[in-house]
Amino acid sequence: MTRWLESERLLATLLLAPAVLLLGLFIAYPFVMGVWLSLSNTSVGNVGEFVWFRNFVKAWNDSIFRTAFGNTFFYTFWATIFKLALGMWLALLLNRSFRGKRIVRATMLLPFIVPTVLSTFAWRWMFDPTFSVLNWLLYQTGFITTKLPFLSDGTYGMWCAIVVNTWRGMPFFALTLLAGLQTISPDLQEAASLDGANGWYRFWHVTWPLLKPVTVVVVVFSIIQTFSDFQLIYVLTGGGPANATHLLATYAYQIGIATGLLGEGAAISLFMLPVLFIVVWLQLRYVRRLEGA
């Protein structure tokens, strides 16, 4: 008995067992179940049979799926670009000393505090075809003569979703990049200034190289969250009009849950897996290369 109690291997097993159990229950089991569903013709009330890759082939031949697939890349690319550019700009501003700096930094957390569904409802009201405050403002200031179809046109709807996603995600970029800026010694900036470097030169040759590892991590996290975004599109446009703003997540929900075709919905959602796997692999490879440099 004493030998068992003094065993490090047994102690390690007992300590790791709860974590392994939770990971298996909440991550491994849903993933394996999703893979099984994608390879079967399971629907609500029907156990289904193994159909190999028929669901994936059917999804690929679906024009709405291809639209959602392209929308997902378009949405992720532009939202990430805007969040990075605006987040960097905000981080550089907040890194300066000015009165009320702490209050401004605290207000940056507001988009995180407000639940996604609630803030998206507010944006939906602002983009409403009839009661849009933005249309009213643009019309009253003379920028437009007719109402803009913010959510009743597919192109406008997608850009509206990108705007809302940028508004929600920009503080995450700003605060994380600001934390990275705080670790850079001011002596480097002063030394560059004494050598005659202007603001852009100091940013590009001093700040940016030191901030690059943090930026890579933030961008990868943002890509993963944006690529699999569901709530924002579901509340703002519902995938419409005419399925023009569907992303992979919302289309998978429509097929798998709304219509009850669980196997086909699971197959659509699994199309995200290889893309996100490649993104994470590239990020890890890049970070290792930076560490080895």
Side-chain angles (χ1 to χ4, degrees):
M1 187 65 180
T2 305
R3 184 180 175 186
W4 278 95
L5 292 175
E6 293 178 351
S7 172
E8 293 185 1
R9 181 173 296 180
L10 177 63
L11 178 62
T13 304
L14 290 175
L15 292 176
L16 288 174
V20 173
L21 181 64
L22 290 175
L23 289 174
L25 189 62
F26 295 109
I27 295 180
Y29 175 73
F31 176 75
V32 173
M33 195 64 187
V35 173
W36 157 248
L37 288 174
S38 69
L39 299 174
S40 70
N41 58 358
T42 304
S43 60
V44 175
N46 175 31
V47 177
E49 298 176 349
F50 192 70
V51 294
W52 290 98
F53 299 101
R54 191 183 304 170
N55 291 330
F56 293 93
V57 175
K58 184 178 180 181
W60 190 253
N61 292 326
D62 181 0
S63 61
I64 301 175
F65 167 80
R66 290 199 294 270
T67 301
F69 195 73
N71 284 344
T72 307
F73 280 92
F74 184 84
Y75 175 76
T76 304
F77 176 78
W78 285 111
T80 305
I81 291 292
F82 289 143
K83 283 185 286 189
L84 176 60
L86 295 174
M88 180 68 76
W89 174 66
L90 266 179
L92 292 172
L93 287 180
L94 294 175
N95 196 39
R96 298 182 176 183
S97 296
F98 57 90
R99 185 176 295 178
K101 182 171 65 176
R102 292 182 180 178
I103 297 175
V104 175
R105 287 181 179 178
T107 56
M108 292 296 300
L109 294 173
L110 280 177
F112 284 142
I113 297 172
V114 180
T116 305
V117 174
L118 186 62
S119 60
T120 308
F121 266 120
W123 279 100
R124 184 177 174 178
W125 174 76
M126 287 192 284
F127 291 133
D128 186 90
T130 306
F131 306 105
S132 171
V133 66
L134 293 177
N135 265 331
W136 179 85
L137 188 64
L138 292 173
Y139 182 80
Q140 293 296 325
T141 52
F143 285 100
I144 59 173
T145 55
T146 56
K147 293 180 179 178
L148 297 177
F150 286 120
L151 299 180
S152 56
D153 179 88
T155 304
Y156 276 93
M158 180 52 65
W159 281 107
C160 288
I162 291 171
V163 168
V164 179
N165 185 281
T166 302
W167 173 80
R168 279 197 60 80
M170 182 178 59
F172 172 68
F173 274 75
L175 294 175
T176 310
L177 294 176
L178 177 62
L181 287 172
Q182 300 282 310
T183 64
I184 299 176
S185 173
D187 295 341
L188 297 173
Q189 299 282 348
E190 293 177 6
S193 298
L194 292 175
D195 289 338
N198 57 26
W200 170 252
Y201 191 92
R202 292 199 303 274
F203 170 77
W204 189 250
H205 293 282
V206 178
T207 305
W208 175 245
L210 296 173
L211 203 59
K212 203 180 292 183
V214 178
T215 307
V216 171
V217 174
V218 176
V219 168
V220 169
F221 276 122
S222 174
I223 290 175
I224 292 173
Q225 291 182 345
T226 309
F227 200 82
S228 57
D229 200 357
F230 171 79
Q231 296 180 67
L232 194 153
I233 294 291
Y234 183 74
V235 175
L236 189 67
T237 66
N243 299 311
T245 60
H246 264 307
L247 303 183
L248 285 177
T250 55
Y251 191 52
Y253 175 84
Q254 178 174 304
I255 296 297
I257 304 300
T259 64
L261 301 174
L262 299 176
E264 295 183 21
I268 292 171
S269 65
L270 277 181
F271 271 95
M272 291 187 280
L273 182 64
V275 178
L276 296 179
F277 179 81
I278 291 172
V279 170
V280 173
W281 179 74
L282 289 175
Q283 181 253 339
L284 291 175
R285 187 174 178 182
Y286 185 72
V287 170
R288 285 178 183 173
R289 196 175 69 178
L290 287 177
E291 291 175 348

